[in-house]
Amino acid sequence: MKLSKRLTHIEQVALAHINEYQHIWDTCCDHGYLGASILSKNPQMQVNFVDCVPSLISQIEQNLQKFHPNSNAKTHCVDLKKLDLLQSSMPEEGKHLVIIAGVGGELMSEFISNILLNNQGIAIDFILCPVNYCYHLRESLEHANLGLIDEWLIKENNRFYEILYTSNDSHQHHLLPSKVGEKIWQSDDSKQNLIAKEYLNKLLCHYRKVEFGGQLDAADIVRAYEQVKVCEKR
């Protein structure tokens, strides 16, 4: 199954750092295409597929038995808020990469908060790609003291996606994520520059409507995005 543009980018990030991890977690995995693609390129990697829908996990198990019968892959039918990384993986040692995509920023924030609470003392990196409410997610990352490794902006089928690569590893000395983003507004070419401008305009239009509708908490968000400067690297 060919991956979408955003899932391809997430996979590329994971593969670029694959040697850093002993455990990969494809959470909210749906049909498991992302995890399966990573597994096909790294057959010895322990890839974990996590979803709370039994029928999806059952189908993934069948596909693993058919296409990856000798792999170390595991499936977990569990609420992501209750995920115990050590109890669910072997060997216990090693660093974890948790990928969360396809859900809103508010729900994603809850997932991350619970994962960190349930797995204290474990080195965890996250690749995050929310479908909306990125500002809310970025606020929660700051409160959780997660450092930013990198960030990207993707446009796919006329929708915009922010991808955030974060870590709870304080030894890496990453900066806290900006609430509105920084690198996503700095483009390498005119095409990406236009995408960034389109996305910023969309965000401002949305939050100005929210503010006009009487939700006063949107005022600070509007002011924050009004300060963003989209620029093309020279």
Side-chain angles (χ1 to χ4, degrees):
M1 181 69 183
K2 184 177 180 180
L3 298 180
S4 65
K5 183 177 179 180
R6 65 190 177 93
L7 290 185
T8 296
H9 193 100
I10 291 172
E11 180 189 41
Q12 290 172 345
V13 176
L15 293 177
H17 301 271
I18 200 72
N19 292 331
E20 299 176 22
Y21 305 108
Q22 285 67 50
H23 311 278
I24 305 290
W25 298 83
D26 180 9
T27 70
C28 304
C29 63
D30 198 25
H31 294 285
Y33 296 141
L34 174 60
S37 184
I38 293 174
L39 184 61
S40 67
K41 298 176 178 66
N42 296 270
Q44 302 307 312
M45 174 62 67
Q46 185 182 107
V47 178
N48 297 271
F49 298 81
V50 182
D51 205 289
C52 62
V53 181
S55 59
L56 291 175
I57 290 298
S58 178
Q59 184 61 55
I60 291 172
E61 289 176 346
Q62 293 178 36
N63 290 337
L64 289 173
Q65 292 172 10
K66 181 177 180 180
F67 299 110
H68 306 280
N70 300 314
S71 74
N72 296 317
K74 291 187 175 184
T75 59
H76 311 271
C77 188
V78 63
D79 183 343
L80 191 53
K81 296 177 183 178
K82 300 178 181 179
L83 183 63
D84 185 330
L85 297 178
L86 292 187
Q87 189 177 46
S88 303
S89 62
M90 290 292 292
E92 293 187 359
E93 68 273 5
K95 195 170 185 178
H96 297 257
L97 174 63
V98 177
I99 302 171
I100 313 177
V103 298
E106 292 180 314
L107 180 57
M108 191 174 290
S109 299
E110 295 180 25
F111 286 153
I112 294 168
S113 176
N114 281 273
I115 289 172
L116 293 173
L117 182 62
N118 297 335
N119 298 277
Q120 297 182 45
I122 302 175
I124 310 172
D125 289 355
F126 294 88
I127 299 179
L128 310 170
C129 184
V131 296
N132 54 29
Y133 295 110
C134 292
Y135 187 95
H136 180 95
L137 173 63
R138 286 172 173 275
E139 272 193 322
S140 71
L141 296 179
E142 182 179 351
H143 294 155
N145 203 34
L146 285 177
L148 183 71
I149 302 174
D150 212 337
E151 60 182 10
W152 302 269
L153 176 63
I154 299 292
K155 183 179 182 182
E156 177 184 70
N157 298 327
N158 292 318
R159 295 193 66 177
F160 299 91
Y161 299 95
E162 295 182 32
I163 299 175
L164 298 118
Y165 187 19
T166 70
S167 177
N168 74 341
D169 189 349
S170 59
H171 297 294
Q172 297 188 47
H173 300 292
H174 299 302
L175 298 175
L176 292 177
S178 160
K179 291 180 182 179
V180 294
E182 292 182 2
K183 290 185 67 175
I184 60 172
W185 310 115
Q186 302 169 20
S187 55
D188 294 318
D189 53 56
S190 57
K191 181 178 180 181
Q192 187 63 26
N193 185 266
L194 180 60
I195 289 173
K197 288 180 178 179
E198 290 177 336
Y199 180 49
L200 179 59
N201 184 62
K202 180 180 179 180
L203 289 171
L204 283 169
C205 287
H206 168 72
Y207 282 112
R208 282 167 178 161
K209 287 181 181 178
V210 171
E211 182 184 19
F212 184 75
Q215 297 186 30
L216 299 179
D217 58 342
D220 289 339
I221 302 177
V222 171
R223 284 192 291 270
Y225 280 116
E226 285 177 338
Q227 299 301 313
V228 169
K229 303 297 182 183
V230 178
C231 61
E232 189 172 344
K233 297 178 184 177
R234 299 298 180 185

